[in-house]
Amino acid sequence: MRIEKRATPSKLAMVAAPLGAIVFTLAISGLLVLWAGAPVGATYVALFKGAFGSMFALSETLTRAVPLILTGLAAAVAFRARLFNIGAEGQLYAGAVAAVAVGGMHGGTGFELPIYLLFPLMLLAAALAGAALLLGPALMKTKLGVDEVVTTLLLNFVMLLAVSYLLDGPMKDPMAMGWPQSVALQGDLELGKLIAQTRLHNGLLIAVGLAVALWLLLQRAVPGFDIRAAGANPRAAAFAGVPVTRTVVLVALLSGGLAGLAGAIEVAGRTSYLTLDMSPGYGYSGIVIAMLAGLHPLGVVASAVFVAGMLVGADSMSRAVGVPNAIADVIVAASLLSVLVASLMTQYRLRRK
Amino acid sequence: MSDVMDILANASFWVAVLRTATPLLLGTLGVLLCERAGVLNLGIEGIMVAGAFTGWLTVYAGHGLWTGVLVAALTGAVLGSLHAWLTVGLALSQHVSGLGITMLATALSYYGYRVSFPKVNTPPTITPFEAMDWLPIPILSDQTALTLLALLLVPFLAWVLFRTPLGLAVRMVGENPQAAEGQGVAVMAVRSGAIIAGSALMGVAGAFLTLSAFNAFFFNMVNGRGWICVALVVFASWRPGKALLGALLFAFFDALQLRLQQSGDGLVPYQFYLMLPYLLSIVALVLVARKAAYPQALMKPYRKGER
């Protein structure tokens, strides 16, 4: 047996493979549901109803998808350039910190500016803060050859401790009765609701818009070509005249910036203040989402909705059927591995020698 | 400053250093073995969680402590086989496969815990390994047998890697798989074997947490230790002896910050002490990077006949 590359992977197979892999994963995960002593069919019905079955469920899923789209895009653009940014979690928090620093209300942290200046300034600060956290590891990778996976990962822990410190002192809300939460954003910085009476906010439009913009950039513009070339083979790219360092900096700005925006938009759209548990691992989920999407920016939107649906649906499924909600994480992680294998099959074929 | 001297003069401090170093050492040796064969294994964080869980569950179910260690090693080996199939067999990205395994193993462990104990709020406990009081060596006599095992593994792994034909084969497939193939080495088999054995060590590293350091399984108990091991391997320049040094150095700073925090005057917020180990890892990576002797084929998938 050996594997050999297919000449042209078919378009149909590229869409069918991930869907087939997810169906396969659900079948395998059924065994785990049986272990928990629950009927498989009813569990999956409850899971999908909880995720997409009503206007409320759908709005909750889409709300959860907003940060996931952004961290998914962050991972996708970095991975395209083979910059393995595992630090989106920390970059998200850096963005949230910057957002509160610019737009915090009482406690004297925020700025007093007209809203049409303050809002873009808040987003810009968040994006720059996220980018700054990735820039160090990116430059250490290109200049010193330090593996960025480990450095970006370690910085997640550093950043969370920094947030913990800020919430203990400098950014602590004096009116929060001792809860470790930051001062709130000025009210007019909060994003409006996309659908009244739900938590779904306009951040969804921003996230989807950025997905389209990133797709166009990667598809049609020179920097997009540079990103892919620098990723494929840095030495050959440099020889061909691609400015590798400039491209790595650009990727760090894009990737870290998107993750930082995720933090600012969570604060502005959902919580209005910063807490230590504001992200249940959105940064890490973003990696899965990007891989599920084959690093395609528009695919990221679809896979973020899928992952968000699993997470939201699992909670109500857990209440209804009694299967632990950790099944959602199992399904998402197993989907990732299955999709990887399936997409390999679309590009390679097994041949008996 | 006198605070620091007091701490260093206290034997219990050094006992804590060696205890903290043990899971790091076991995990680092596991990563080292995988990387010597040319494969990055970012599954370590999840494999440690899974080893901690299955080892603990085995003992909780009434089996012996060593059976628990064995089950944890087997758990690691099974997850390692998955990583080997994905990275060696199918030549998928080693980064992504490893992260996927970390997520899968962590989720499966939490799911398994919740299915086994649906309504329990305080984690059930077991009787963990006891200290080796019979040993006439100070500090080591306060440790458990798993620490001794980890320490003995250092010279053993060094001997295997640098003094046996098997070790030569492992290093060759990590440096130049084409040449190894030419010498008649079964590249795929050696790589897979190294990943499986290394992952078994990671499983034991996790089991140390539940069967020796603590006596229960709880969420987030691995808490980044696996990632630290990945950094420590670079620090150790892929050498077992230096891995021991790195693990001890790291544990030293970790134990020191914990005690400074307790005896602290409140001048430095405790979060900054907690950051130290992570920042030190990054500094160590930068310092070592210049002369780092990466196994040349690390992260490069190997396909027969392709160059």
Side-chain angles (χ1 to χ4, degrees):
Chain A
M1 293 265 280
R2 57 183 292 176
I3 44 182
E4 62 181 40
K5 200 153 182 126
R6 284 178 204 267
T8 48
S10 80
K11 280 256 152 65
L12 178 69
M14 285 171 74
V15 176
L19 293 180
I22 286 170
V23 170
F24 170 77
T25 302
L26 290 176
I28 294 287
S29 307
L31 296 175
L32 294 174
V33 173
L34 284 178
W35 179 31
V40 178
T43 301
Y44 282 146
V45 168
L47 182 64
F48 282 91
K49 264 193 176 164
F52 309 107
S54 64
M55 196 48 160
F56 172 75
L58 189 62
S59 73
E60 281 294 300
T61 294
L62 291 176
T63 308
R64 185 76 77 99
V66 172
L68 290 175
I69 292 172
L70 292 166
T71 55
L73 292 175
V77 68
F79 279 35
R80 281 239 179 166
R82 296 224 184 168
L83 180 71
F84 286 95
N85 174 18
I86 318 295
E89 185 78 1
Q91 291 146 22
L92 180 148
Y93 276 100
V97 166
V100 172
V102 169
M105 190 166 54
H106 42 81
T109 41
F111 295 109
E112 286 195 29
L113 279 174
I115 185 69
Y116 59 87
L117 285 178
L118 195 53
F119 188 76
L121 184 67
M122 176 182 76
L123 293 187
L124 184 69
L128 285 178
L133 203 60
L134 180 55
L135 202 56
L139 288 176
M140 280 195 274
K141 172 195 167 83
T142 47
K143 298 291 173 197
L144 301 171
V146 182
D147 186 39
E148 75 280 16
V149 171
V150 188
T151 48
T152 51
L153 249 172
L154 294 173
L155 281 176
N156 288 339
F157 294 91
V158 174
M159 194 61 219
L160 260 158
L161 287 164
V163 170
S164 160
Y165 161 71
L166 289 171
L167 295 183
D168 257 3
M171 277 194 164
K172 187 183 183 127
D173 185 352
M175 332 257 248
M177 321 271 263
W179 290 106
Q181 67 185 44
S182 77
V183 293
L185 286 188
Q186 299 176 29
D188 42 8
L189 281 175
E190 284 169 24
L191 285 160
K193 296 279 175 246
L194 195 61
I195 303 177
Q197 326 274 288
T198 69
R199 299 203 296 168
L200 186 60
H201 52 86
N202 288 324
L204 183 68
L205 302 178
I206 301 178
V208 173
L210 285 170
V212 175
L214 189 65
W215 174 62
L216 290 174
L217 176 81
L218 289 175
Q219 212 60 36
R220 319 244 169 220
V222 174
F225 168 77
D226 287 348
I227 285 172
R228 282 180 287 164
N233 188 339
R235 210 171 286 173
F239 189 71
V242 173
V244 173
T245 300
R246 209 172 72 196
T247 304
V248 167
V249 170
L250 174 73
V251 170
L253 286 175
L254 282 174
S255 178
L258 285 162
L261 278 179
I265 287 175
E266 269 301 272
V267 172
R270 209 169 58 78
T271 61
S272 88
Y273 50 80
L274 166 67
T275 58
L276 204 51
D277 58 358
M278 83 173 250
S279 162
Y282 290 138
Y284 302 106
S285 305
I287 299 162
V288 179
I289 286 160
M291 297 309 302
L292 286 177
L295 308 187
H296 192 294
L298 299 183
V300 162
V301 176
S303 63
V305 172
F306 165 71
V307 170
M310 289 296 108
L311 298 176
V312 169
D315 284 336
S316 66
M317 175 278 295
S318 180
R319 282 191 296 273
V321 199
V323 174
N325 61 3
I327 193 79
D329 294 318
V330 178
I331 291 174
V332 169
S335 301
L336 168 68
L337 294 176
S338 315
V339 166
L340 286 175
V341 174
S343 68
L344 186 87
M345 294 305 167
T346 63
Q347 286 166 37
Y348 291 85
R349 75 175 91 219
L350 284 177
R351 169 151 296 185
R352 230 176 275 276
K353 227 186 355 183
Chain B
M1 212 55 220
S2 67
D3 275 0
V4 176
M5 297 314 276
D6 286 349
I7 291 168
L8 296 187
N10 197 331
S12 76
F13 171 75
W14 297 100
V15 171
V17 168
L18 194 52
R19 188 173 50 234
T20 311
T22 302
L24 296 176
L25 178 59
L26 286 165
T28 304
L29 292 178
V31 177
L32 190 146
L33 189 55
C34 297
E35 294 197 1
R36 273 286 180 180
V39 181
L40 182 71
N41 192 347
L42 296 180
I44 178 172
E45 183 79 8
I47 293 174
M48 282 180 73
V49 175
F53 172 63
T54 57
W56 169 83
L57 192 66
T58 305
V59 177
Y60 182 80
H63 301 280
L65 285 162
W66 285 108
T67 314
V69 173
L70 194 68
V71 168
L74 278 175
T75 307
V78 168
L79 290 164
S81 313
L82 180 61
H83 191 54
W85 179 59
L86 293 172
T87 58
V88 179
L90 300 180
L92 284 171
S93 157
Q94 296 177 5
H95 281 115
V96 176
S97 165
L99 290 169
I101 285 170
T102 281
M103 288 173 186
L104 182 67
T106 308
L108 278 174
S109 303
Y110 291 176
Y111 183 76
Y113 180 77
R114 274 289 164 231
V115 171
S116 312
F117 304 93
K119 298 221 166 12
V120 177
N121 283 324
T122 42
T125 56
I126 54 151
T127 312
F129 276 101
E130 283 174 15
M132 301 180 287
D133 298 326
W134 44 271
L135 260 184
I137 310 166
I139 294 176
L140 196 60
S141 63
D142 287 314
Q143 311 292 336
T144 67
L146 283 180
T147 300
L148 187 62
L149 176 75
L151 291 173
L152 292 176
L153 270 170
V154 173
F156 176 71
L157 193 61
W159 174 74
V160 170
L161 274 177
F162 298 104
R163 292 280 183 277
T164 67
L166 181 65
L168 180 67
V170 169
R171 285 184 293 132
M172 270 180 86
V173 301
E175 293 290 339
N176 190 338
Q178 283 83 10
E181 182 90 58
Q183 296 285 318
V185 174
V187 174
M188 304 301 205
V190 172
R191 278 197 167 175
S192 302
I195 299 169
I196 292 168
S199 304
L201 284 181
M202 297 169 191
V204 177
F208 175 85
L209 297 175
T210 43
L211 302 185
S212 183
F214 306 95
N215 56 4
F217 176 82
F218 44 90
F219 296 154
N220 292 325
M221 78 183 307
V222 174
N223 195 21
R225 283 186 180 86
W227 309 130
I228 305 262
C229 291
V230 178
L232 279 176
V233 174
V234 184
F235 174 83
S237 314
W238 293 269
R239 293 188 163 268
K242 284 191 179 172
L244 172 62
L245 185 73
L248 285 173
L249 201 64
F250 198 93
F252 172 84
F253 282 108
D254 198 54
L256 188 65
Q257 63 85 9
L258 201 69
R259 276 165 174 69
L260 281 176
Q261 202 178 302
Q262 284 159 0
S263 76
D265 39 21
L267 278 179
V268 181
Y270 75 93
Q271 289 96 344
F272 289 91
Y273 287 122
L274 289 176
M275 276 180 203
L276 267 182
Y278 302 109
L279 292 174
L280 274 172
S281 293
I282 295 175
V283 171
L285 285 173
V286 172
L287 288 180
V288 175
R290 278 163 210 270
K291 50 178 180 172
Y294 277 85
Q296 287 301 306
L298 185 61
M299 291 182 253
K300 290 189 187 118
Y302 177 74
R303 290 197 189 90
K304 234 178 178 156
E306 261 181 42
R307 300 208 56 135

